[in-house]
């Protein structure tokens, strides 16, 4: 019998052929999600440099073994699919307009070995904005509409702006477009801000400070020093290094309660 994660999803449990097909679909999706290019990424990128949790950044920079690997990949797969569809849509829009107004899925060099893929850059003189797509559920959409994108997404936008600037573009604004995973497209929310190079440079300076601390404290050889990298609550349950109840930070983080 196929066990549903939420009994509300089905009127009756699946069994027989239906259960076999369901199990195969779920496993195939999970395998594909685990092997997707973004899932295999190890070098830190613009989407992670602004993460509020210093401990999570330290784990990532050391390529520490991930312990929270059982999360469902479906939301990520949906997001990747939407990104691909939007890229095709804006390619078609460029052809319709007859000029390259939109730079789409552009590979940007931020600094050193740090690169990132910018979802969209609108070159129109009235906009000149880097635009990042985020596909979110209803509760997240309400939160972002009320509180803004948070430091991680905001920093990501300014880092992409910095990358576009280095690529020779004039950047005036940054934007995050929150697309509803359910409901109608006109239910989206858009956050914008003037591009601020200092935010990008400040994030890179923080990254350098964490790298310096890693060299000095060497938590790989001195596990007790993991305590010196503060943990900040930022979707802990989705963190690859989250291990509830852990008392050994070299194996996993129990999460944080402070913000």
């Amino acid at each position: 019998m196929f066990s549903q994660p939420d009994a509300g999803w089905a009127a009756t449990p699946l069994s027989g052929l239906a259960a076999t097909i369901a199990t195969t679909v779920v496993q195939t999706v999970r395998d594909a999600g685990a092997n997707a290019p973004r899932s295999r990424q190890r070098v830190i990128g613009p989407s992670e440099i602004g993460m509020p949790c210093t401990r999570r950044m330290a784990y990532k920079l050391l390529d520490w073994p991930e312990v929270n690997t059982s999360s469902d990949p479906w939301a990520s797969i949906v997001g990747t699919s939407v990104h691909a569809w939007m890229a095709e849509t804006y390619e078609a829009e460029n052809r319709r307009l007859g000029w390259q107004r939109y730079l789409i899925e552009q590979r940007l060099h931020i600094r050193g070995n740090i690169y990132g893929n910018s979802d969209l850059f609108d070159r129109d003189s009235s906009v000149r904005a880097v635009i990042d797509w985020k596909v979110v559920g209803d509760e997240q959409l309400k939160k972002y509409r009320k509180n803004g994108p948070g430091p991680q997404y905001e920093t990501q936008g300014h880092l992409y702006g910095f990358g576009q600037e280095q690529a020779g573009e004039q950047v005036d604004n940054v934007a995050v477009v929150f697309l509803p995973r359910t409901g109608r497209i006109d239910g989206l929310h858009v956050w914008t801000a003037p591009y601020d190079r200092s935010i990008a440079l400040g994030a890179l300076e923080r990254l350098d400070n964490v790298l310096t601390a890693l060299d000095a404290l060497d938590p790989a050889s001195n596990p007790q020093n993991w305590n010196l990298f503060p943990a900040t609550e930022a979707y802990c349950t989705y963190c690859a290094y989250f291990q509830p109840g852990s008392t050994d930070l070299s194996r996993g983080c129990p999460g944080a309660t402070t913000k």
Side-chain angles (χ1 to χ4, degrees), residues 89-107:
T89 297
Y90 278 90
E91 291 283 6
E93 182 66 3
N94 278 342
R95 292 192 295 270
R96 186 189 72 80
L97 294 171
W99 69 288
Q100 197 175 19
R101 171 174 173 171
Y102 300 103
L103 301 179
I104 303 158
E105 291 290 342
Q106 189 177 21
R107 182 75 166 168

Side-chain angles (χ1 to χ4, degrees), residues 7 17 36 42 55 60 64 68 73 108 125 151 157 159 164 179 202 207-209 219 244 246:
L17 179 60
R42 286 296 177 265
R55 184 177 297 162
K60 177 70 178 182
W64 212 247
N68 185 19
L108 297 175
S125 60
L159 283 167
Q164 290 287 6
L179 301 168
L207 172 64
D208 288 339
N209 290 338
S246 174

Side-chain angles (χ1 to χ4, degrees), residues 9-24:
W9 288 15
T12 57
L14 300 179
S15 60
L17 179 60
T20 299
I21 293 173
T23 300
T24 302

Side-chain angles (χ1 to χ4, degrees), residues 77-149:
I77 290 168
V78 170
T80 300
S81 300
V82 170
H83 277 69
W85 191 91
M86 294 295 267
E88 292 179 3
T89 297
Y90 278 90
E91 291 283 6
E93 182 66 3
N94 278 342
R95 292 192 295 270
R96 186 189 72 80
L97 294 171
W99 69 288
Q100 197 175 19
R101 171 174 173 171
Y102 300 103
L103 301 179
I104 303 158
E105 291 290 342
Q106 189 177 21
R107 182 75 166 168
L108 297 175
H109 180 226
I110 307 300
R111 187 197 71 180
N113 67 340
I114 302 174
Y115 293 82
N117 287 336
S118 175
D119 293 342
L120 196 74
F121 181 68
D122 188 343
R123 303 168 87 186
D124 186 88
S125 60
S126 66
V127 183
R128 291 194 179 116
V130 292
I131 299 172
D132 203 62
W133 311 121
K134 301 296 182 188
V135 184
V136 300
D138 292 342
E139 291 304 312
Q140 286 178 300
L141 190 59
K142 291 176 184 176
K143 185 194 75 170
Y144 292 128
R145 185 175 280 119
K146 178 181 179 181
N147 302 323

